[in-house]
Amino acid sequence: MSEFWILLTGSLVAGCCGILGVFLVLRKMAMIGDAISHSVMPGIVIAFLLSGSRDSLLMMLAALAFGLLTTFLIQMFQQSGIQSDASIGVVFTALFAIGVVLVSLFARQVHLDQDAILYGEIAYVHWNLWELGGISMGPKAVWLLGFTLIVISAVIGLFYKQFKLCAFDPALAAAIGIPVALFHYLLMGLVSMATVSSFESVGAILVVGMLIIPASTAYLLTERLGVMIGLSVAAGVASTFIGYGAAVLLDASIAGCMVCASALLFVAAFLFSPTQGIVAKKLRMRRLAS
């Protein structure tokens, strides 16, 4: 039964990250996910100190707030003339350091450290159950990630055209009256939500892999946004199953193997993509030469 919950949790993470990752890759904002995964740490620590619990709604809201704060600060520094990569590096390292200091000062005696917040362990997901009226409803992570996937799918579905235009041509989107800044922060809010929802399962750092790698794989295989989203989710789910099988055989980290499997799928697409793969390009060059 534990295998079912592990695979279901991994697939839900892949779904959440696969949808959002496509828009991050298209907008050349892939490392924003990495920045958010680190910079939400002060929010988590502050919420824990206020509530005394790692399972509180306050913790998620605080993390979301710091995710949006990260996005705002990065945007502000970029508009001030600082390069994009430098802005991301300054913001997420500074906020992450603040979180580490808060843990060392106020939360040394409790299980609230980088391992608990950033790395996670999907193998334990079936132990953290949600009970309603004394009845076990299943792992909390599954319910939380399921809710997150529904929210992400609903928001992207309702504003698909707006997100699409903002991703491909933000100048045109602004010219026809679409509030580009609003959809930017809405997307970042969804990324923050997906990151926070995955703390107890895959872990925030490994979510970065699921945000970037399957979407990059899909980007190599198609130029149609709808197909790209589908392929991104499919690549993430496939990575979940392949990675779990590899982890069982190797007796290694499950989440780590899932991301490694995702990387292997990316390499396969990089080499053999019909349109952008290295092998396909070389074959076309040979045909032209002959």
Side-chain angles (χ1 to χ4, degrees):
M1 192 63 179
S2 61
E3 292 183 358
F4 169 77
W5 291 121
I6 290 171
L7 292 172
L8 178 58
T9 302
S11 297
L12 289 172
V13 172
C16 294
C17 295
I19 296 171
L20 298 175
V22 167
F23 293 97
L24 294 179
V25 169
L26 288 174
R27 298 183 65 177
K28 300 180 180 179
M29 299 171 61
M31 295 313 296
I32 287 288
D34 188 22
I36 290 175
S37 71
H38 287 75
S39 59
V40 296
M41 190 172 178
I44 293 174
V45 178
I46 292 170
F48 175 81
L49 295 175
L50 292 175
S51 66
S53 171
R54 287 178 55 194
D55 298 324
S56 67
L57 177 62
L58 180 62
M59 184 173 286
M60 172 169 279
L61 294 176
L64 287 173
F66 269 82
L68 292 175
L69 175 64
T70 300
T71 305
F72 172 77
L73 291 175
I74 291 172
Q75 193 79 4
M76 182 182 71
F77 291 149
Q78 287 178 356
Q79 291 175 351
S80 300
I82 299 176
Q83 292 182 355
S84 175
D85 56 346
S87 300
I88 293 173
V90 168
V91 172
F92 96 73
T93 51
L95 290 177
F96 181 64
I98 291 172
V100 172
V101 171
L102 289 174
V103 169
S104 65
L105 288 176
F106 304 111
R108 289 181 181 176
Q109 306 304 318
V110 296
H111 187 55
L112 188 69
D113 51 25
Q114 289 113 331
D115 287 338
I117 294 174
L118 294 176
Y119 305 121
E121 182 47 72
I122 197 171
Y124 304 147
V125 69
H126 60 285
W127 290 351
N128 188 12
L129 301 176
W130 177 38
E131 293 188 358
L132 185 63
I135 301 174
S136 176
M137 304 297 292
K140 290 180 181 179
V142 170
W143 285 95
L144 183 57
L145 287 165
F147 174 75
T148 302
L149 181 58
I150 290 172
V151 172
I152 291 172
S153 300
V155 172
I156 297 297
L158 285 172
F159 303 106
Y160 179 78
K161 292 182 179 179
Q162 290 87 340
F163 278 112
K164 180 178 181 179
L165 195 54
C166 289
F168 285 104
D169 196 340
L172 176 60
I176 63 176
I178 295 176
V180 176
L182 174 63
F183 283 100
H184 171 74
Y185 285 109
L186 183 56
L187 178 63
M188 293 302 103
L190 293 176
V191 172
S192 301
M193 186 177 182
T195 302
V196 176
S197 299
S198 304
F199 282 155
E200 295 298 325
S201 51
V202 178
I205 285 182
L206 294 178
V207 169
V208 178
M210 285 295 191
L211 274 170
I212 299 171
I213 303 175
S216 300
T217 302
Y219 181 80
L220 292 173
L221 297 175
T222 183
E223 296 180 352
R224 296 176 56 190
L225 180 58
V227 177
M228 194 180 299
I229 292 174
L231 288 174
S232 177
V233 173
V237 173
S239 301
T240 298
F241 282 80
I242 296 171
Y244 179 75
V248 171
L249 290 174
L250 300 174
D251 192 22
S253 166
I254 297 175
C257 285
M258 288 178 179
V259 176
C260 288
S262 185
L264 289 176
L265 292 178
F266 171 79
V267 171
F270 181 74
L271 292 174
F272 302 111
S273 168
T275 55
Q276 301 189 53
I278 290 180
V279 174
K281 288 180 180 179
K282 287 191 174 182
L283 289 175
R284 283 197 297 270
M285 291 177 63
R286 286 184 178 179
R287 291 195 193 103
L288 291 173
S290 61

